[in-house]
Each structure stands twice: as C-alpha cells, then as structure tokens.
Amino acid sequence: MRQNNFQRIGSTCRTAVACLALTTLSVSVCSANRAGQEITYPPKEFSKLDTFEGLNLEDADKLYKKRDYKGAYAAYKAYSFEFVKSKALPYVLLRMGRCLHMIDKRHAAIKAYQDVVDYFPDDVSYAAGALFYMGQCHQQNGDTAKQNAVWAKMVKDDDYVAQPNSGTALTYLGGAMQKLGKFEEAAEYHWRTAVAFSKTNHQAAAAARNAVLAHYVTRSQNNDKLQKFYVEAGGFDGRGQKTDKPNEDNRYWSTVLNTSLRMPAGAELEKKEKAARYWSAKMGDRFTDNDDLRKQWIDLQNVYEKDSKSWLAGMEKQYKLQPATLARVLKWSGYYGVDPKMRSNFFASQSKAFLGGLKNPEKMALMNQLRSLRMNEESRTVMRSVSIQGMNDEEILKLTNFAALYEPEDFVLRYFAKMKDKTFAAKSRFDYYNARTHRNRPFMEKALQEMPILQKSPKYAGQALGMSQAVLLQGLGRYDEAIKAYRVANKQPQSTWGVTDCMVALKQYSEAVKTVQGLESVGGSTASSASLKIADIYRISGNKGKEVQQLRMVLRRYPKSGESSEAHNRLERYGVALTGGEAEAEE
C-alpha cells in the first residue's frame, strides 16, 4: 500500500521537476517571509542509515546548504526513488518541498508539503514542519485564509503544537484573530503558546501569558478561566512554583489587581470601572496580613467609588490590623506619597514612639530611607539628631556626606573638625570642595588650600591628586602653574590635553600646536583627536586658512573617524568644495 502511495508522490515530484526545467529560476530568498527554524535530520538517526544511503543524503544536504536548490531537489528526488523504504524519507520529502519553496514554486511546494502530512502524519517533526511551511506558502501567495486554516490545523494537534515552528504560527494566529476582533479565539491561541512553549521559548511564552492575562482581566473578565490558565501555564511568570491553588495565591491576585489598575482611563473609563468592580469583588475582604495586596485592593475599589475619604478609611483600617512598627510607618509613608502633607502628618504622629529609642546606625539607616521617599525635612530632622560622640572618622564622614546634601558649608565643616586624623579630615574637606567647584571659584581656592598636607601623605599623594590640582589651577586661570602641575602628574593623554588648553588660553598658539602634534604619533583615536585639536587651535587663533588646511588633513589621514565627520561638516559650513565623498576638500 505504501508503494502505491509513494508512486503518487513520485508523480508529483516528476511534475515539479518538469516545472523546474521550463525556466531558469532565481534562488534569492526573502528571509523575513520565510522565518522559521530549518528542520534538519538528527545526527543520531543519520548514523543508523546504510552507508550508501548516508552518503547520498549527505550530498543532497550539502547542495541545500550551498543554496543550490535546483541541484538539491534533483538529489533528494533521486534519493526518494532509490531508497523508498528509508527511515529518512519523510525528511527527504520535506526537503524537496523546501527546495521548491525556495525557488518560488510555491504551488508545487504546497503539494509536496501535503504529501508529507498525508503519508507521514506520525513523523511529528516533519509533518508539523510541512504544515508550517505550507502556511508560509499561502501567506506569500496572499491567501491568508488558507494560511490561517493550515496553521490552525497544526497548532490544534497536541503533538504538532510542541514543535519549535508552531510558536511562530501561534503568535501569528493570536494576532490575526485580534485584528479580526475575535478576541476569545485569540486568547485560546495565546493560551496554547504559553503552555506549549513555557520551557522551550521563554520570550514567546511570556508574551502569550501577558496577552491571556490582559484579555481575561481587562476585556472579558473571567476569574474561573484565568485561574485555570494560571495552573496550566505555571503561573504568570511561567515558573510553575506552587501554582495549583490560585485562589489562595497572593501572586495571582497581585498581578490581576495590578493589571486592572493599569488599564487606561479616558475613553476606557467605563471598562476600567467594570473591571475594577469585578475583580475587587472576586478577591473580597481577604489576605488581611498582606499590606501591599490590600493596598492594591483598596486602590481598585477607589477606581469606581472615587471617594478619597473612603480610600483613607480603608488604609487606616488596614494599618490597625497589625501591630505598629517603624517599618510599617515607613511603608504607609510610601503609600501616602500622593499627598505630601498627609504623609508628613502621619509620620509625625506615628513615628514618635519609635524615634527616641533608635541608636546611631538605626538613625542613619532611617534618614536614608526617608530621603528615598523624598521626605527631605523628616530626613534632615533625623540626621540632626545623630550624635557623633563615639563615632570613628569613617562613620563621621558618612554622616557628613549626608549632611552636605542639606546643610550649608559652616555646618559641614563642624563635622570635619571632629575627625581625629587630620590628614583624613583634609582629604574629606578636599573632596567636599572639589565636588562643588563647578562655577565656584571660592571652592576651587579652598580645595587647593588642602593640597599641601595631602601632598605629604603617602596614601593620598600621587598622579590622581596631581591631576586634580592641575584642573583646579586651570579653572582659576593660573595657567603657568597648571601647565607645571599637568607635566608633573604626567597622566597621558589627559596631561597633554590640559597643557594644550592652558597654552591656548595664554595665546601660545604655536607651542600648543607643537604639543598636540606629539600625540599624533600615539595612533588610534588619540591621533585623530589630536589632528582635529590642531584645527581647533587654528580656529581660536583666527587663522582660518590653516584651519581649513588642517581639516582637509583630518579627512585624508583619518577618513573613518568621528573627527573626520566633524571636519567634513565644518568644511561644508565654510563653503569649501568637497570631492570623493568624505575624503578630500578642494580649494
């Protein structure tokens, strides 16, 4: 019986070969339209083939990999006639369809793919692959109805849907049904995607889970179906960790409530209120020990109640359900962030019982937490209550750095004065001033005043300190001193750039050019930067002729660099004629 069936397959093959012989066909492929995982013959199965079978199949595969699809088709066809009982026959027939597909003989390819499905439906990998590629042929022929039908047949089979290419089909079908307004059908396809590819295609499964979640939460509220999906899909994260009882799972409810809360307002307000009523009722007055979840539930109720007093009453009731702690005070302060005045009043009244007994480390942790909540006044108040008595210098520095965010210079200096190690104190003051020198000449001077003691310290003296000194001197306009400091620090190429800028500021243009020219020998990005820097010096000096000449040199020497693009743009602005693309400029 199989022999007779195969004779019909051979007839189809001969017809396709005749088609191939009629014209010389292009083998260029549009990869965007033919996306999908190419199906190959497993090495383990290949090793079981007869030696001669294996050699012939290997030759055909080599031609296919070289994109010689006409040659590969002929080789696969010859194999199918010679080895009619080969275990590789389903694969060979699929590859024959692929060859026809690749040279745009799509109608013949569809027939070849159909033969794989008809005669080898239990060879899951090849039959599912044939259906996938058949759908692509219909898509490329512009027949989306047939594409949808073929791919729907594929993904509705429990074995076929587990194959890699089915993920693409499921994603497509879900999107297609959505465009047609068939949202329930779309959700079914997304459901299958999430379940079938939870382990093998995490990205596709995650997108599908989100689509199902959105549908049953926002468009068509259905707690029973969504809970069933939660179990089958391994939760909304796909991990499958204790997801068998969604009704008792705070993760389930938190995600559902959050999805409902994030629905857009405006034109969708009626739908949002409907979803909010449904889900707040479904969760009910449960999970009283979970403050975050209850906050979501209270927020959701407020979507349709629109009553700030009722919302506040719900929050106050929840707060009283458990013993007050400083951690819960901070949590509620975060909850009340939408109303800074209410938040401040709440913190002032509820924190009193806890602040008095806090030790310094706890106070410092608290002031940082308050700052993260943007409760700056409260944070500053706690900071001022910290006693530096008994603190070591490193602890004082941490407190001082925090105080510097709020307090004036004289307040900060009082902390520095409490440090026992005077060199450490000098470094701390230097860092304080140096970090605030932008457009602040007095702080530049004060930072420099700390230099003498730091330069005597083996711990702090060195190249980094020398560069900081040079930058400060340059910022103060003390260019001769800055040049000396840059040269002593000798951090290259930064020192040379600094020396050059100082020379330019002193109008020592020729010396600046010579200094920068030395960097061109370094090569790489430093060389191209140096070459453009020379042009900048000529521009500042007012020598436009030499600037243009140097810009042309940048184009010739460093044609692929960012500096070349800058040179090109400047020459265009100057109206200099350019030829050869980015390469040269004419007089």
Side-chain angles (χ1 to χ4, degrees):
M1 185 65 181
R2 177 171 290 183
Q3 180 65 34
N4 292 334
N5 289 336
F6 188 69
Q7 286 174 356
R8 190 171 78 82
I9 297 172
S11 175
T12 301
C13 297
R14 285 190 290 274
T15 302
V17 172
C19 293
L20 285 169
L22 292 175
T23 56
T24 301
L25 300 170
S26 168
V27 295
S28 62
V29 180
C30 176
S31 59
N33 289 336
R34 292 172 185 165
Q37 181 174 319
E38 193 70 57
I39 296 169
T40 58
Y41 199 63
K44 184 178 179 180
E45 298 302 317
F46 187 90
S47 65
K48 298 177 182 179
L49 296 176
D50 175 85
T51 302
F52 194 52
E53 281 185 71
L55 289 173
N56 279 266
L57 186 58
E58 186 177 18
D59 289 342
D61 283 344
K62 285 179 180 178
L63 291 170
Y64 188 87
K65 288 179 182 178
K66 291 178 181 178
R67 300 186 181 183
D68 179 3
Y69 299 119
K70 291 175 67 176
Y73 181 89
Y76 287 126
K77 171 182 171 291
Y79 185 99
S80 69
F81 284 152
E82 186 166 358
F83 305 105
V84 294
K85 294 184 179 181
S86 173
K87 295 288 186 180
L89 191 56
Y91 164 75
V92 169
L93 295 180
L94 178 66
R95 272 295 171 90
M96 289 169 69
R98 292 295 288 143
C99 290
L100 293 168
H101 193 168
M102 289 298 204
I103 57 176
D104 293 327
K105 302 298 292 183
R106 290 190 288 272
H107 292 294
I110 289 171
K111 292 179 181 178
Y113 291 143
Q114 188 62 54
D115 285 334
V116 179
V117 178
D118 288 344
Y119 300 111
F120 300 99
D122 296 330
D123 285 278
V124 173
S125 175
Y126 309 116
L131 286 170
F132 175 77
Y133 292 124
M134 198 185 306
Q136 283 192 327
C137 286
H138 289 308
Q139 180 189 49
Q140 292 152 21
N141 287 337
D143 194 337
T144 55
K146 287 185 178 179
Q147 176 194 3
N148 292 349
V150 169
W151 279 2
K153 179 180 178 181
M154 175 177 65
V155 301
K156 287 178 180 178
D157 184 288
D158 290 339
D159 293 324
Y160 294 168
V161 76
Q163 297 303 303
N165 287 330
S166 296
T168 301
L170 282 164
T171 302
Y172 164 81
L173 289 168
M177 292 303 104
Q178 281 186 292
K179 288 180 181 178
L180 293 172
K182 298 179 179 180
F183 300 114
E184 197 66 32
E185 290 182 48
E188 290 177 10
Y189 286 121
H190 292 312
W191 188 315
R192 297 212 69 166
T193 304
V195 174
F197 295 97
S198 61
K199 306 299 182 185
T200 57
N201 190 331
H202 298 294
Q203 187 173 359
R209 286 194 299 271
N210 289 336
V212 175
L213 174 66
H215 175 70
Y216 287 120
V217 171
T218 66
R219 183 182 288 115
S220 179
Q221 295 81 32
N222 193 320
N223 187 43
D224 291 337
K225 277 196 172 183
L226 192 58
Q227 289 199 10
K228 181 180 178 183
F229 171 75
Y230 187 80
V231 174
E232 291 186 11
F236 294 134
D237 59 6
R239 296 178 182 176
Q241 297 176 343
K242 297 182 179 179
T243 57
D244 57 321
K245 297 180 180 179
N247 205 45
E248 302 172 15
D249 192 335
N250 64 285
R251 297 169 300 171
Y252 172 85
W253 287 107
S254 179
T255 303
V256 168
L257 298 187
N258 186 54
T259 302
S260 184
L261 283 167
R262 293 176 64 182
M263 285 182 68
E268 300 291 323
L269 183 58
E270 185 177 341
K271 293 181 181 179
K272 183 169 185 175
E273 290 180 3
K274 178 185 175 184
R277 287 181 184 276
Y278 179 89
W279 289 110
S280 61
K282 285 296 179 183
M283 188 181 113
D285 192 14
R286 297 182 293 144
F287 301 99
T288 55
D289 61 339
N290 190 320
D291 289 333
D292 289 331
L293 182 57
R294 295 278 289 188
K295 164 69 162 49
Q296 289 178 288
W297 180 62
I298 295 168
D299 287 346
L300 197 60
Q301 289 177 311
N302 195 48
V303 169
Y304 55 88
E305 289 179 349
K306 300 181 180 65
D307 186 344
S308 59
K309 291 182 178 179
S310 177
W311 179 87
L312 182 58
M315 293 298 295
E316 290 175 345
K317 177 182 178 182
Q318 179 62 27
Y319 181 75
K320 295 175 182 177
L321 288 179
Q322 297 181 51
T325 63
L326 185 57
R328 294 192 80 230
V329 171
L330 289 171
K331 178 178 281 191
W332 252 255
S333 296
Y335 290 158
Y336 291 160
V338 292
D339 188 335
K341 184 177 180 180
M342 178 177 67
R343 177 181 61 186
S344 293
N345 291 337
F346 171 82
F347 181 81
S349 64
Q350 297 297 321
S351 64
K352 287 181 181 179
F354 307 105
L355 297 182
L358 295 181
K359 296 180 180 179
N360 277 350
E362 294 168 324
K363 288 182 179 181
M364 293 182 71
L366 175 60
M367 65 193 194
N368 279 292
Q369 290 173 299
L370 290 168
R371 179 172 170 77
S372 69
L373 292 171
R374 298 184 180 181
M375 298 174 66
N376 294 311
E377 284 305 313
E378 290 83 359
S379 178
R380 185 182 183 190
T381 299
V382 174
M383 180 268 297
R384 282 176 169 263
S385 73
V386 175
S387 171
I388 64 172
Q389 187 174 359
M391 282 187 174
N392 59 38
D393 288 350
E394 286 78 11
E395 291 169 335
I396 294 175
L397 179 59
K398 287 181 181 179
L399 179 62
T400 307
N401 287 338
F402 190 89
L405 298 171
Y406 298 112
E407 305 293 356
E409 178 187 359
D410 59 341
F411 187 99
V412 174
L413 290 177
R414 288 200 294 270
Y415 279 143
F416 287 138
K418 298 294 183 178
M419 293 179 175
K420 299 178 180 64
D421 186 333
K422 299 308 175 185
T423 304
F424 184 81
K427 179 62 165 58
S428 299
R429 287 192 299 272
F430 173 81
D431 290 339
Y432 169 76
Y433 287 124
N434 195 41
R436 293 162 176 78
T437 54
H438 180 64
R439 296 184 179 181
N440 192 329
R441 291 175 64 88
F443 273 23
M444 292 181 191
E445 295 281 8
K446 290 177 179 180
L448 283 174
Q449 290 172 12
E450 305 296 339
M451 281 289 175
I453 189 171
L454 297 179
Q455 288 170 336
K456 296 176 183 178
S457 168
K459 182 177 180 179
Y460 302 120
Q463 190 179 67
L465 187 67
M467 285 296 291
S468 296
Q469 181 186 31
V471 170
L472 290 168
L473 290 167
Q474 182 181 351
L476 289 167
R478 294 158 60 177
Y479 299 116
D480 288 323
E481 295 176 72
I483 289 172
K484 292 178 182 178
Y486 275 124
R487 286 174 171 164
V488 170
N490 194 27
K491 182 180 181 181
Q492 299 300 340
Q494 291 91 333
S495 285
T496 300
W497 297 130
V499 169
T500 302
D501 289 337
C502 290
M503 287 179 171
V504 170
L506 292 168
K507 299 185 178 180
Q508 298 172 359
Y509 302 121
S510 59
E511 290 88 342
V513 169
K514 290 178 183 177
T515 299
V516 179
Q517 284 174 337
L519 286 178
E520 280 206 81
S521 62
V522 174
S525 60
T526 300
S528 57
S529 297
S531 189
L532 184 62
K533 184 75 170 179
I534 293 170
D536 291 340
I537 296 169
Y538 286 134
R539 179 178 60 180
I540 294 169
S541 69
N543 193 335
K544 187 174 181 180
K546 285 209 168 187
E547 179 194 357
V548 169
Q549 183 181 6
Q550 183 65 28
L551 290 171
R552 293 170 63 193
M553 189 175 295
V554 173
L555 290 177
R556 289 196 300 272
R557 289 183 176 177
Y558 312 102
K560 303 297 182 181
S561 66
E563 288 76 15
S564 176
S565 297
E566 171 63 19
H568 186 281
N569 293 336
R570 276 163 63 173
L571 288 169
E572 278 193 333
R573 289 198 297 270
Y574 291 157
V576 177
L578 299 171
T579 61
E582 62 183 5
E584 297 181 6
E586 293 182 345
E587 294 290 349

